[in-house]
Amino acid sequence: MGLGPEEWQAVTLSLKVAFWATLVGLPLALGMALLLARKSFPGKVLVDALVHLPLVMPPVVTGYLLLLTFGTQGAVGGFLESIGISFAFRWTGAALAAGVMAFPLMVRPMRLGIEAVDARLEEAAGTLGASPLRVFWTVTLPLIRPALLASFVLGFAKAMGEFGATITFVAAIPGETQTLPTAIYALLQVPGGETAAARLVMVSVVIALGAVIASEWLAQRMRRK
């Protein structure tokens, strides 16, 4: 049995939200991973705790904090609204919520990957005259490619499955903010909606399996190289 128009909307919107949340979040997560792995500074423990806070805090709380900050009446949201950028009750807000929830899962693998790199290799490249940026691009980055891939897959999977923060921040507006998890939840509240919900559950499983299989295939190719 095929998906209906509203179900397809939820699938495509979830893919869009997860893609942009991961794409925008990955370089930020890389920067944070480098900071935590290579730098010592006052308050590092606090920064590390704040990065991982979305993992241990109820997602609804995260969504509420996003609403207070980026809502139309929020300090940041009000300013952004004045320059034409809106997050509240829009798909961009769903991407922001998903990105915030996925951020710790993107930082952790990259931090571990960076910490596993032999610093002597980077030092050797530096003694040969390479700038810090060149050392990063030619030595560090190739060595942490599996960690980058793991970060992308974990971030994408988390963004696809994000529910609590999303529904609190941007609600579940069909065609605008209703992602796969919120669509499944909405269908389960309607008598007779179990069949449609089951179809979306199967789609979620297929997408998740596809992401894991693709990442494993890419990881094997990287190891051969």
Side-chain angles (χ1 to χ4, degrees):
M1 190 177 296
L3 299 179
E6 288 191 3
E7 294 163 23
W8 273 117
Q9 277 186 340
V11 173
T12 55
L13 182 62
S14 288
L15 291 171
K16 179 181 178 180
V17 164
F19 173 78
W20 283 106
T22 312
L23 185 68
V24 174
L26 202 62
L28 299 176
L30 176 57
M32 182 58 68
L34 281 167
L35 180 68
L36 294 175
R38 293 293 169 82
K39 301 295 182 181
S40 295
F41 54 90
K44 180 177 178 179
V45 174
L46 178 59
V47 172
D48 192 20
L50 289 173
V51 167
H52 291 89
L53 196 59
L55 285 180
V56 295
M57 196 164 57
V60 173
V61 175
T62 302
Y64 181 65
L65 292 175
L66 287 172
L67 186 60
L68 289 179
T69 306
F70 293 97
T72 54
Q73 304 301 317
V76 178
F79 169 74
L80 293 176
E81 283 277 346
S82 68
I83 60 174
I85 300 174
S86 178
F87 287 106
F89 307 111
R90 299 192 60 184
W91 77 267
T92 49
L96 176 61
V100 168
M101 295 301 296
F103 191 71
L105 295 177
M106 290 190 280
V107 171
R108 188 65 179 170
M110 285 191 284
R111 180 181 179 180
L112 294 175
I114 292 166
E115 290 176 342
V117 172
D118 191 342
R120 292 173 297 181
L121 296 174
E122 297 171 319
E123 292 170 1
T127 59
L128 293 174
S131 66
L133 184 60
R134 184 171 177 81
V135 170
F136 174 76
W137 281 106
T138 59
V139 178
T140 310
L141 198 59
L143 291 174
I144 65 169
R145 281 187 302 178
L148 284 171
L149 179 61
S151 295
F152 184 87
V153 173
L154 285 172
F156 185 84
K158 177 62 177 175
M160 280 290 296
E162 170 48 35
F163 173 77
T166 301
I167 200 168
T168 306
F169 181 34
V170 294
I173 305 168
E176 184 64 41
T177 63
Q178 190 176 71
T179 56
L180 266 173
T182 57
I184 292 170
Y185 176 79
L187 287 168
L188 291 175
Q189 309 309 306
V190 178
E194 293 84 0
T195 302
R199 289 198 295 266
L200 291 181
V201 167
M202 289 303 299
V203 170
S204 300
V205 171
V206 169
I207 291 173
L209 280 175
V212 172
I213 291 171
S215 68
E216 182 61 27
W217 178 74
L218 288 170
Q220 289 177 359
R221 284 179 62 94
M222 289 179 184
R223 284 194 289 268
R224 292 194 202 105
K225 292 179 180 179

